[in-house]
Short mmCIF file of all heavy atoms in Angstrom, two decimals:
data_model
loop_
_atom_site.label_atom_id
_atom_site.label_comp_id
_atom_site.label_asym_id
_atom_site.label_seq_id
_atom_site.Cartn_x
_atom_site.Cartn_y
_atom_site.Cartn_z
N VAL A 190 -1.70 10.36 11.45
CA VAL A 190 -2.56 9.29 11.94
C VAL A 190 -1.69 8.11 12.37
O VAL A 190 -0.73 7.76 11.68
CB VAL A 190 -3.55 8.84 10.83
CG1 VAL A 190 -4.32 7.61 11.26
CG2 VAL A 190 -4.50 9.98 10.50
N ALA A 191 -2.01 7.51 13.50
CA ALA A 191 -1.17 6.45 14.05
C ALA A 191 -0.98 5.30 13.07
O ALA A 191 0.11 4.76 12.92
CB ALA A 191 -1.78 5.93 15.35
N THR A 192 -2.05 4.90 12.37
CA THR A 192 -1.93 3.79 11.44
C THR A 192 -0.98 4.11 10.29
O THR A 192 -0.22 3.25 9.85
CB THR A 192 -3.32 3.42 10.87
OG1 THR A 192 -3.97 4.61 10.42
CG2 THR A 192 -4.17 2.75 11.92
N THR A 193 -0.99 5.37 9.82
CA THR A 193 -0.08 5.78 8.76
C THR A 193 1.37 5.68 9.23
O THR A 193 2.24 5.13 8.54
CB THR A 193 -0.36 7.22 8.31
OG1 THR A 193 -1.68 7.28 7.75
CG2 THR A 193 0.64 7.69 7.27
N GLU A 194 1.65 6.22 10.41
CA GLU A 194 3.01 6.21 10.94
C GLU A 194 3.51 4.78 11.15
O GLU A 194 4.67 4.47 10.86
CB GLU A 194 3.05 6.98 12.27
CG GLU A 194 2.63 8.45 12.16
CD GLU A 194 3.46 9.22 11.15
OE1 GLU A 194 4.68 8.98 11.07
OE2 GLU A 194 2.86 10.04 10.41
N GLU A 195 2.64 3.91 11.62
CA GLU A 195 3.05 2.53 11.87
C GLU A 195 3.32 1.79 10.56
O GLU A 195 4.23 0.96 10.49
CB GLU A 195 1.97 1.81 12.68
CG GLU A 195 1.90 2.29 14.13
CD GLU A 195 0.73 1.74 14.89
OE1 GLU A 195 -0.10 1.00 14.29
OE2 GLU A 195 0.61 2.03 16.09
N ARG A 196 2.54 2.08 9.54
CA ARG A 196 2.75 1.40 8.26
C ARG A 196 4.02 1.90 7.57
O ARG A 196 4.71 1.13 6.90
CB ARG A 196 1.51 1.55 7.38
CG ARG A 196 0.35 0.72 7.92
CD ARG A 196 -1.00 1.01 7.30
NE ARG A 196 -2.04 0.45 8.14
CZ ARG A 196 -3.34 0.62 7.96
NH1 ARG A 196 -3.77 1.36 6.93
NH2 ARG A 196 -4.21 0.08 8.79
N ILE A 197 4.35 3.16 7.76
CA ILE A 197 5.62 3.66 7.24
C ILE A 197 6.78 2.99 7.98
O ILE A 197 7.79 2.61 7.37
CB ILE A 197 5.71 5.19 7.38
CG1 ILE A 197 4.72 5.87 6.41
CG2 ILE A 197 7.12 5.68 7.09
CD1 ILE A 197 4.67 7.38 6.55
N LEU A 198 6.63 2.84 9.28
CA LEU A 198 7.65 2.15 10.07
C LEU A 198 7.82 0.71 9.58
O LEU A 198 8.95 0.21 9.44
CB LEU A 198 7.28 2.16 11.55
CG LEU A 198 8.24 1.45 12.52
CD1 LEU A 198 9.63 2.07 12.46
CD2 LEU A 198 7.69 1.49 13.94
N GLY A 199 6.70 0.04 9.30
CA GLY A 199 6.76 -1.32 8.79
C GLY A 199 7.43 -1.39 7.42
O GLY A 199 8.19 -2.31 7.13
N TYR A 200 7.14 -0.39 6.59
CA TYR A 200 7.77 -0.30 5.27
C TYR A 200 9.27 -0.18 5.42
O TYR A 200 10.05 -0.88 4.75
CB TYR A 200 7.18 0.91 4.54
CG TYR A 200 8.00 1.42 3.37
CD1 TYR A 200 8.00 0.75 2.15
CD2 TYR A 200 8.76 2.59 3.49
CE1 TYR A 200 8.75 1.22 1.08
CE2 TYR A 200 9.50 3.07 2.43
CZ TYR A 200 9.50 2.38 1.23
OH TYR A 200 10.23 2.86 0.18
N ARG A 201 9.70 0.68 6.33
CA ARG A 201 11.14 0.90 6.54
C ARG A 201 11.80 -0.37 7.10
O ARG A 201 12.91 -0.73 6.70
CB ARG A 201 11.34 2.07 7.49
CG ARG A 201 12.77 2.55 7.58
CD ARG A 201 12.85 3.92 8.19
NE ARG A 201 14.19 4.49 8.07
CZ ARG A 201 14.48 5.76 8.27
NH1 ARG A 201 13.52 6.61 8.61
NH2 ARG A 201 15.71 6.20 8.13
N LEU A 202 11.09 -1.04 7.99
CA LEU A 202 11.60 -2.29 8.55
C LEU A 202 11.75 -3.35 7.46
O LEU A 202 12.75 -4.09 7.40
CB LEU A 202 10.65 -2.81 9.64
CG LEU A 202 11.02 -4.13 10.31
CD1 LEU A 202 12.34 -4.01 11.06
CD2 LEU A 202 9.90 -4.57 11.25
N GLY A 203 10.78 -3.41 6.56
CA GLY A 203 10.83 -4.36 5.46
C GLY A 203 12.01 -4.12 4.53
O GLY A 203 12.65 -5.06 4.07
N LEU A 204 12.28 -2.83 4.26
CA LEU A 204 13.44 -2.50 3.43
C LEU A 204 14.73 -3.01 4.07
O LEU A 204 15.58 -3.61 3.42
CB LEU A 204 13.54 -0.99 3.23
CG LEU A 204 12.47 -0.31 2.38
CD1 LEU A 204 12.71 1.20 2.35
CD2 LEU A 204 12.45 -0.87 0.96
N GLY A 205 14.85 -2.76 5.38
CA GLY A 205 16.05 -3.18 6.09
C GLY A 205 16.23 -4.69 6.06
O GLY A 205 17.34 -5.20 5.85
N ARG A 206 15.14 -5.40 6.25
CA ARG A 206 15.21 -6.87 6.25
C ARG A 206 15.57 -7.41 4.87
O ARG A 206 16.13 -8.50 4.75
CB ARG A 206 13.88 -7.44 6.72
CG ARG A 206 13.64 -7.26 8.23
CD ARG A 206 12.26 -7.72 8.63
NE ARG A 206 12.12 -7.74 10.09
CZ ARG A 206 10.98 -7.96 10.73
NH1 ARG A 206 9.86 -8.17 10.02
NH2 ARG A 206 10.93 -7.96 12.05
N ALA A 207 15.23 -6.64 3.82
CA ALA A 207 15.53 -7.07 2.45
C ALA A 207 16.88 -6.57 1.98
O ALA A 207 17.28 -6.84 0.84
CB ALA A 207 14.43 -6.58 1.51
N GLY A 208 17.59 -5.84 2.85
CA GLY A 208 18.90 -5.31 2.48
C GLY A 208 18.82 -4.12 1.54
O GLY A 208 19.78 -3.83 0.82
N LEU A 209 17.68 -3.41 1.57
CA LEU A 209 17.50 -2.25 0.70
C LEU A 209 17.64 -0.96 1.50
O LEU A 209 17.26 -0.90 2.68
CB LEU A 209 16.11 -2.30 0.03
CG LEU A 209 15.84 -3.53 -0.83
CD1 LEU A 209 14.41 -3.50 -1.36
CD2 LEU A 209 16.84 -3.62 -1.97
N LYS A 210 18.16 0.07 0.87
CA LYS A 210 18.37 1.35 1.55
C LYS A 210 17.08 2.17 1.59
O LYS A 210 16.28 2.14 0.65
CB LYS A 210 19.47 2.15 0.86
CG LYS A 210 20.85 1.55 0.97
CD LYS A 210 21.89 2.44 0.31
CE LYS A 210 23.29 1.87 0.46
NZ LYS A 210 24.31 2.75 -0.20
N TRP A 211 16.93 2.90 2.68
CA TRP A 211 15.82 3.85 2.81
C TRP A 211 16.06 5.03 1.89
O TRP A 211 17.14 5.60 1.87
CB TRP A 211 15.71 4.32 4.26
CG TRP A 211 14.91 5.58 4.47
CD1 TRP A 211 15.40 6.85 4.53
CD2 TRP A 211 13.51 5.68 4.67
NE1 TRP A 211 14.38 7.75 4.76
CE2 TRP A 211 13.21 7.05 4.84
CE3 TRP A 211 12.47 4.76 4.71
CZ2 TRP A 211 11.91 7.51 5.07
CZ3 TRP A 211 11.17 5.21 4.93
CH2 TRP A 211 10.91 6.58 5.11
N ASP A 212 15.05 5.37 1.11
CA ASP A 212 15.12 6.52 0.20
C ASP A 212 13.85 7.33 0.39
O ASP A 212 12.76 6.90 0.01
CB ASP A 212 15.26 6.04 -1.25
CG ASP A 212 15.43 7.20 -2.23
OD1 ASP A 212 15.26 8.37 -1.83
OD2 ASP A 212 15.74 6.92 -3.41
N GLU A 213 14.00 8.51 0.95
CA GLU A 213 12.84 9.34 1.26
C GLU A 213 12.03 9.68 0.01
O GLU A 213 10.82 9.91 0.07
CB GLU A 213 13.28 10.63 1.95
CG GLU A 213 12.15 11.41 2.56
CD GLU A 213 12.64 12.58 3.41
OE1 GLU A 213 13.87 12.66 3.66
OE2 GLU A 213 11.81 13.39 3.82
N ALA A 214 12.71 9.68 -1.15
CA ALA A 214 12.02 9.99 -2.41
C ALA A 214 11.00 8.93 -2.79
O ALA A 214 10.15 9.16 -3.64
CB ALA A 214 13.04 10.16 -3.52
N LEU A 215 11.10 7.76 -2.17
CA LEU A 215 10.16 6.68 -2.47
C LEU A 215 8.98 6.64 -1.50
O LEU A 215 8.20 5.68 -1.50
CB LEU A 215 10.89 5.33 -2.45
CG LEU A 215 11.87 5.11 -3.61
CD1 LEU A 215 12.63 3.80 -3.42
CD2 LEU A 215 11.13 5.11 -4.95
N VAL A 216 8.85 7.66 -0.67
CA VAL A 216 7.74 7.75 0.29
C VAL A 216 6.87 8.95 -0.09
O VAL A 216 7.32 10.09 -0.05
CB VAL A 216 8.25 7.90 1.74
CG1 VAL A 216 7.07 8.03 2.70
CG2 VAL A 216 9.14 6.72 2.11
N SER A 217 5.63 8.69 -0.47
CA SER A 217 4.69 9.76 -0.79
C SER A 217 3.63 9.83 0.29
O SER A 217 2.82 8.91 0.44
CB SER A 217 4.02 9.51 -2.14
OG SER A 217 2.98 10.44 -2.36
N GLN A 218 3.64 10.91 1.07
CA GLN A 218 2.63 11.10 2.10
C GLN A 218 1.52 12.04 1.63
O GLN A 218 0.71 12.51 2.43
CB GLN A 218 3.27 11.63 3.38
CG GLN A 218 4.26 10.63 4.00
CD GLN A 218 4.59 10.96 5.44
OE1 GLN A 218 3.71 11.08 6.28
NE2 GLN A 218 5.87 11.09 5.72
N SER A 219 1.50 12.28 0.34
CA SER A 219 0.46 13.16 -0.23
C SER A 219 -0.74 12.36 -0.71
O SER A 219 -1.77 12.93 -1.07
CB SER A 219 1.05 13.92 -1.43
OG SER A 219 1.41 13.01 -2.47
N GLY A 220 -0.61 11.02 -0.72
CA GLY A 220 -1.69 10.19 -1.24
C GLY A 220 -1.59 9.96 -2.73
O GLY A 220 -2.42 9.27 -3.32
N TRP A 221 -0.56 10.51 -3.37
CA TRP A 221 -0.43 10.43 -4.83
C TRP A 221 0.71 9.52 -5.24
O TRP A 221 1.79 9.54 -4.66
CB TRP A 221 -0.23 11.82 -5.43
CG TRP A 221 -1.38 12.74 -5.18
CD1 TRP A 221 -1.42 13.76 -4.29
CD2 TRP A 221 -2.67 12.70 -5.80
NE1 TRP A 221 -2.65 14.38 -4.31
CE2 TRP A 221 -3.44 13.74 -5.23
CE3 TRP A 221 -3.24 11.89 -6.78
CZ2 TRP A 221 -4.75 13.99 -5.61
CZ3 TRP A 221 -4.55 12.14 -7.16
CH2 TRP A 221 -5.29 13.17 -6.58
N LEU A 222 0.47 8.74 -6.30
CA LEU A 222 1.47 7.84 -6.84
C LEU A 222 2.47 8.58 -7.73
O LEU A 222 3.64 8.19 -7.80
CB LEU A 222 0.77 6.74 -7.66
CG LEU A 222 1.63 5.78 -8.47
CD1 LEU A 222 2.55 4.98 -7.55
CD2 LEU A 222 0.75 4.85 -9.29
N ALA A 223 2.03 9.65 -8.38
CA ALA A 223 2.86 10.34 -9.38
C ALA A 223 4.28 10.67 -8.93
O ALA A 223 5.24 10.45 -9.69
CB ALA A 223 2.15 11.62 -9.85
N PRO A 224 4.49 11.19 -7.69
CA PRO A 224 5.87 11.53 -7.28
C PRO A 224 6.84 10.34 -7.31
O PRO A 224 8.05 10.54 -7.47
CB PRO A 224 5.68 12.04 -5.85
CG PRO A 224 4.28 12.53 -5.80
CD PRO A 224 3.51 11.59 -6.67
N LEU A 225 6.31 9.14 -7.18
CA LEU A 225 7.18 7.95 -7.18
C LEU A 225 7.51 7.50 -8.60
O LEU A 225 8.49 6.78 -8.81
CB LEU A 225 6.51 6.80 -6.43
CG LEU A 225 6.07 7.07 -4.99
CD1 LEU A 225 5.61 5.78 -4.34
CD2 LEU A 225 7.19 7.70 -4.18
N LEU A 226 6.70 7.93 -9.56
CA LEU A 226 6.92 7.52 -10.94
C LEU A 226 7.65 8.57 -11.76
O LEU A 226 8.30 8.24 -12.76
CB LEU A 226 5.57 7.20 -11.61
CG LEU A 226 4.72 6.10 -10.96
CD1 LEU A 226 3.43 5.92 -11.73
CD2 LEU A 226 5.49 4.79 -10.88
N ASP A 227 7.55 9.83 -11.32
CA ASP A 227 8.17 10.93 -12.08
C ASP A 227 9.61 11.18 -11.64
O ASP A 227 10.04 12.32 -11.50
CB ASP A 227 7.35 12.21 -11.91
CG ASP A 227 5.97 12.09 -12.54
OD1 ASP A 227 5.82 11.27 -13.45
OD2 ASP A 227 5.06 12.81 -12.11
N GLN A 228 10.34 10.13 -11.39
CA GLN A 228 11.74 10.24 -10.97
C GLN A 228 12.64 9.65 -12.06
O GLN A 228 12.20 8.86 -12.89
CB GLN A 228 11.96 9.49 -9.66
CG GLN A 228 11.12 9.97 -8.50
CD GLN A 228 11.40 9.17 -7.22
OE1 GLN A 228 12.47 8.59 -7.06
NE2 GLN A 228 10.44 9.17 -6.30
N GLU A 229 13.89 10.03 -12.00
CA GLU A 229 14.85 9.49 -12.95
C GLU A 229 14.96 7.98 -12.79
O GLU A 229 15.13 7.24 -13.76
CB GLU A 229 16.22 10.15 -12.74
CG GLU A 229 17.25 9.74 -13.77
CD GLU A 229 18.56 10.50 -13.59
OE1 GLU A 229 18.55 11.59 -12.98
OE2 GLU A 229 19.59 10.00 -14.09
N ASP A 230 14.88 7.54 -11.53
CA ASP A 230 14.91 6.10 -11.23
C ASP A 230 13.61 5.78 -10.49
O ASP A 230 13.58 5.72 -9.26
CB ASP A 230 16.13 5.78 -10.37
CG ASP A 230 16.34 4.27 -10.20
OD1 ASP A 230 15.65 3.49 -10.89
OD2 ASP A 230 17.18 3.88 -9.37
N PRO A 231 12.50 5.58 -11.20
CA PRO A 231 11.18 5.46 -10.56
C PRO A 231 10.97 4.14 -9.82
O PRO A 231 11.73 3.17 -10.00
CB PRO A 231 10.23 5.57 -11.75
CG PRO A 231 11.01 5.00 -12.89
CD PRO A 231 12.43 5.46 -12.66
N ALA A 232 9.94 4.14 -9.00
CA ALA A 232 9.58 2.91 -8.29
C ALA A 232 9.04 1.89 -9.29
O ALA A 232 8.35 2.22 -10.25
CB ALA A 232 8.50 3.22 -7.25
N THR A 233 9.38 0.63 -9.06
CA THR A 233 8.84 -0.46 -9.88
C THR A 233 7.78 -1.25 -9.13
O THR A 233 7.07 -2.06 -9.72
CB THR A 233 9.96 -1.42 -10.29
OG1 THR A 233 10.55 -2.01 -9.12
CG2 THR A 233 11.03 -0.69 -11.09
N ALA A 234 7.69 -0.99 -7.83
CA ALA A 234 6.70 -1.66 -6.99
C ALA A 234 6.25 -0.68 -5.91
O ALA A 234 7.05 0.12 -5.43
CB ALA A 234 7.27 -2.92 -6.36
N VAL A 235 4.98 -0.76 -5.53
CA VAL A 235 4.44 0.21 -4.58
C VAL A 235 3.50 -0.46 -3.58
O VAL A 235 2.72 -1.35 -3.94
CB VAL A 235 3.66 1.33 -5.31
CG1 VAL A 235 3.16 2.37 -4.31
CG2 VAL A 235 4.53 2.00 -6.36
N VAL A 236 3.60 0.00 -2.33
CA VAL A 236 2.67 -0.40 -1.27
C VAL A 236 1.67 0.73 -1.09
O VAL A 236 2.06 1.88 -0.86
CB VAL A 236 3.41 -0.66 0.06
CG1 VAL A 236 2.40 -0.99 1.16
CG2 VAL A 236 4.44 -1.77 -0.09
#
Side-chain angles (χ1 to χ4, degrees):
V190 172
T192 49
T193 297
E194 300 304 321
E195 289 172 357
R196 289 168 196 174
I197 291 176
L198 178 60
Y200 161 76
R201 191 163 190 166
L202 178 64
L204 291 178
R206 287 174 171 172
L209 301 177
K210 293 183 178 180
W211 162 266
D212 184 350
E213 192 172 351
L215 290 175
V216 179
S217 172
Q218 296 197 55
S219 64
W221 298 105
L222 173 62
L225 305 188
L226 301 180
D227 294 336
Q228 301 180 24
E229 185 176 339
D230 189 10
T233 62
V235 183
V236 177

